[in-house]
C-alpha cells in the first residue's frame, strides 16, 4: 500500500501538472475597438503562477463596463500591454498555488476581481479564459450556497458598492438615494445599504419595468426616472450613490454635510469619485450576508451567456440596460 500511496501521490502530482496545459482557449483583443471588430477567440498562454498567486481553472466570469471602456482604449495611458484577455470577475477552482500562498489550497472554490487596480495596470490575462492567475490577497472563498455563475457576478460590483458606501461614511439609521439601483453595482449597493449598513431609508432610481426589483432588493422608495425627476422631489438624503454619472443633479438632493459618491462622470462639489480597489477581505466581510441570503446576486435573465457568446454579452452590456450582472458561464 505504501508503494501504491507513493505512486498515487506521484501520479497525482504528474496528473495535476499534466492537467495544466501551457496554452488555453480565451477571448482576447490585439487592438482597441468595438467588440465585433477586435474581439477574437483563440489560443493564448496559460499565465505563469507567481509566488503570491494561485492558478484558477475558470468556471464562470462576468463583464463590467470597465471591460468595454478599456477595450475602447479609454484607459490606454495606464493599461497593461496588448494583447489583452478581458475580464475582471472570475469564479473557479484552484489548480496550482504559488510558493508564498498560505490561505488557499488546490481544490478550493474561489472568486475574485483579478485586478487590484481597475485602471492602473489591470491584468493583461484576465478572466474570459480557461485559466487565470490571481494574487492570494484578492481572493475570497466562494460562499457555499452560490453557483459559480452567481459568485462570478459579484466581485468587482460588490466591492465597488461596499467601498463606495464606506467612503460615503453611510451610518446606521441614515437615508440614501442610489442612482441606477437596478444595475450591476446599484443592485448590490441597495442591498448592502439596507441590510449591512442599516440605512433607515433607501431610495433608488430605475426605469418602469425595474421598479419591482428595486423593492425586492430592499429599496423603500423606487423612483421611475422616466416619469419623475428625483431632483424635483422634496426628499433630501444623507448619502447619494451615483452609479449613472449624474453628480450635478445628485448634489441638489444631498443634505447639508451629507456625501455624494460618484462612480463615473464629472463630479460637482461636494461630490467625489473613486476607483474600486480589489480586496479579498471585502469578500470575506460580506460572506456571511451572502451565505444567509441577506445579500443576493442579481444576474441579468438574458444570461448567463455561453463561452462562445462573449461578443453578444458585450453588445448587450453596452446597451446600458443590463439588470444586475452579465455573466459568462459555463467556461
Ligand atoms: N469607479 C469605479 O470604481 C467603478 C465605476 N463603475 C461605473 O459605474 C457605472 C455603473 O456600473 P454598472 O452598475 O456595472 O453598470 P450597468 O451596465 O450594470 O448599468 C446598467 C443599469 O443602469 C441603469 N441606468 C442607466 N441609466 C440610468 C439612469 N439615468 N437612471 C437610473 N438608472 C439608469 C439601467 O437601468 P434602466 O434600464 O432602467 O435605465 C441599468 O439597469 C458604469 O459607468 C461603470 O463604468 C462601475 C464599477 C466600478
Ligand atoms: C473612473 C471610473 C472608471 O473606473 C471603473 C472601474 C469604471 O467602470 C469606470 O468608468
Amino acid at each position: 500500500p505504501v508503494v501504491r500511496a507513493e505512486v498515487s501521490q506521484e501520479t497525482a502530482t504528474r496528473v495535476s501538472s499534466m492537467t495544466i496545459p501551457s496554452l488555453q482557449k480565451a477571448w482576447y483583443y490585439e487592438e482597441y475597438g468595438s467588440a465585433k471588430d477586435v474581439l477574437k477567440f483563440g489560443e493564448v498562454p496559460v499565465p505563469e503562477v507567481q509566488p503570491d498567486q494561485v492558478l484558477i481553472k475558470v468556471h464562470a466570469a462576468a463583464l463590467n463596463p470597465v471591460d468595454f471602456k478599456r477595450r475602447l482604449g479609454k484607459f490606454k495611458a495606464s493599461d497593461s500591454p496588448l494583447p489583452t484577455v478581458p475580464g475582471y470577475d472570475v469564479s473557479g477552482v484552484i489548480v496550482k498555488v504559488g510558493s508564498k500562498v498560505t490561505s488557499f489550497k488546490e481544490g478550493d472554490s474561489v472568486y475574485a476581481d483579478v485586478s487590484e487596480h481597475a485602471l492602473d495596470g489591470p491584468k493583461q490575462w484576465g478572466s474570459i479564459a480557461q485559466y487565470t492567475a490571481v494574487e492570494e490577497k484578492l481572493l475570497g472563498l466562494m460562499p457555499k450556497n452560490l453557483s459559480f455563475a452567481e459568485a462570478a457576478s459579484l466581485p468587482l460590483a460588490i466591492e465597488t458598492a461596499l467601498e463606495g458606501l464606506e467612503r460615503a461614511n453611510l451610518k446606521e439609521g441614515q437615508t440614501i438615494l442610489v442612482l441606477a439601483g437596478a444595475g450591476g453595482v446599484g443592485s448590490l449597493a441597495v442591498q448592502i445599504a439596507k441590510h449591512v449598513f442599516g440605512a433607515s431609508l433607501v431610495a433608488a432610481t430605475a426605469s418602469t419595468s425595474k421598479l419591482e426589483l428595486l423593492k425586492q432588493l430592499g429599496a423603500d422608495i423606487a423612483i421611475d426616472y422616466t416619469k419623475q425627476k428625483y431632483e424635483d422631489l422634496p426628499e433630501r438624503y444623507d448619502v447619494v450613490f451615483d452609479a449613472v454619472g449624474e453628480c450635478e443633479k445628485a448634489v441638489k438632493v444631498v443634505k447639508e454635510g451629507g456625501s455624494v459618491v460618484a462612480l463615473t462622470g464629472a463630479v460637482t462639489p461636494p461630490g467625489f469619485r473613486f476607483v474600486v480597489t480589489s480586496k479579498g477581505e471585502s469578500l470575506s466581510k460580506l460572506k456571511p450576508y451572502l451565505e444567509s441570503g441577506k445579500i443576493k446576486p442579481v444576474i441579468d435573465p438574458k444570461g448567463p451567456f455561453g463561452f462562445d457568446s462573449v461578443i453578444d454579452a458585450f453588445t448587450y452590456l453596452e446597451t446600458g440596460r443590463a439588470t444586475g450582472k452579465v455573466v459568462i458561464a459555463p467556461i
Side-chain angles (χ1 to χ4, degrees):
V2 173
V3 171
R4 207 169 33 251
E6 278 162 7
V7 166
S8 65
Q9 280 167 11
E10 183 192 322
T11 305
T13 305
R14 203 169 61 243
V15 165
S16 66
S17 60
M18 273 170 57
T19 57
I20 301 173
S22 55
L23 291 173
Q24 63 167 332
K25 291 288 192 195
W27 284 90
Y28 67 94
Y29 51 92
E30 296 167 309
E31 57 184 318
Y32 293 123
S34 70
K36 64 178 175 51
D37 288 348
V38 305
L39 266 182
K40 296 174 182 173
F41 185 67
E43 283 202 329
V44 301
V46 172
E48 288 293 320
V49 181
Q50 299 307 309
D52 63 344
Q53 293 182 327
V54 303
L55 187 68
I56 296 172
K57 174 71 188 72
V58 179
H59 283 245
L63 303 183
N64 288 278
V66 66
D67 285 302
F68 68 73
K69 295 179 179 181
R70 181 183 171 196
R71 193 201 64 233
L72 291 167
K74 290 190 181 316
F75 310 122
K76 67 172 75 170
S78 58
D79 202 350
S80 47
L82 293 167
T84 302
V85 170
Y88 289 71
D89 287 328
V90 69
S91 68
V93 178
I94 294 177
V95 292
K96 191 173 182 181
V97 295
S99 57
K100 291 186 176 170
V101 169
T102 57
S103 306
F104 296 90
K105 64 186 183 306
E106 280 185 22
D108 283 347
S109 294
V110 293
Y111 66 140
D113 164 358
V114 304
S115 291
E116 184 174 15
H117 303 294
L119 308 184
D120 186 11
K123 282 285 186 317
Q124 179 177 9
W125 310 109
S127 62
I128 318 295
Q130 292 176 311
Y131 296 88
T132 197
V134 190
E135 289 75 11
E136 175 180 20
K137 66 182 177 181
L138 309 184
L139 291 175
L141 267 180
M142 264 175 57
K144 298 176 184 61
N145 57 318
L146 297 188
S147 66
F148 283 110
E150 289 168 328
S153 76
L154 291 168
L156 190 148
I158 205 168
E159 292 174 24
T160 302
L162 180 62
E163 184 173 349
L165 293 170
E166 286 172 342
R167 284 176 179 267
N169 202 23
L170 178 66
K171 292 276 185 271
E172 185 177 2
Q174 288 192 324
T175 65
I176 180 172
L177 169 65
V178 177
L179 303 178
V185 177
S187 59
L188 293 161
V190 166
Q191 296 184 75
I192 294 172
K194 194 71 183 174
H195 305 308
V196 178
F197 284 73
S200 58
L201 182 140
V202 178
T205 61
S207 61
T208 314
S209 66
K210 298 175 181 173
L211 300 178
E212 182 50 37
L213 171 66
L214 295 181
K215 295 287 193 136
Q216 289 165 4
L217 295 174
D220 305 288
I221 301 173
I223 301 169
D224 182 343
Y225 74 88
T226 70
K227 294 177 180 165
Q228 272 188 320
K229 292 185 176 181
Y230 59 84
E231 65 272 27
D232 293 347
L233 297 172
E235 191 69 46
R236 293 296 175 265
Y237 305 91
D238 296 300
V239 172
V240 182
F241 188 104
D242 173 14
V244 182
E246 296 183 333
C247 194
E248 201 172 349
K249 290 199 288 186
V251 296
K252 293 177 182 170
V253 297
V254 71
K255 287 179 184 174
E256 185 69 32
S259 303
V260 178
V261 54
L263 300 185
T264 185
V267 288
T268 305
F272 66 92
R273 200 177 68 195
F274 75 99
V275 178
V276 62
T277 300
S278 175
K279 295 177 199 142
E281 69 191 62
S282 298
L283 299 176
S284 303
K285 197 185 289 185
L286 292 167
K287 190 162 181 277
Y289 295 94
L290 290 162
E291 289 185 332
S292 67
K294 279 210 177 85
I295 306 288
K296 295 179 176 59
V298 181
I299 293 178
D300 192 291
K302 281 189 175 42
F305 291 79
F307 198 26
D308 60 351
S309 305
V310 168
I311 292 176
D312 290 344
F314 266 115
T315 304
Y316 175 59
L317 178 69
E318 293 176 49
T319 64
R321 306 273 71 82
T323 299
K325 294 298 297 180
V326 174
V327 168
I328 312 293
I331 290 179

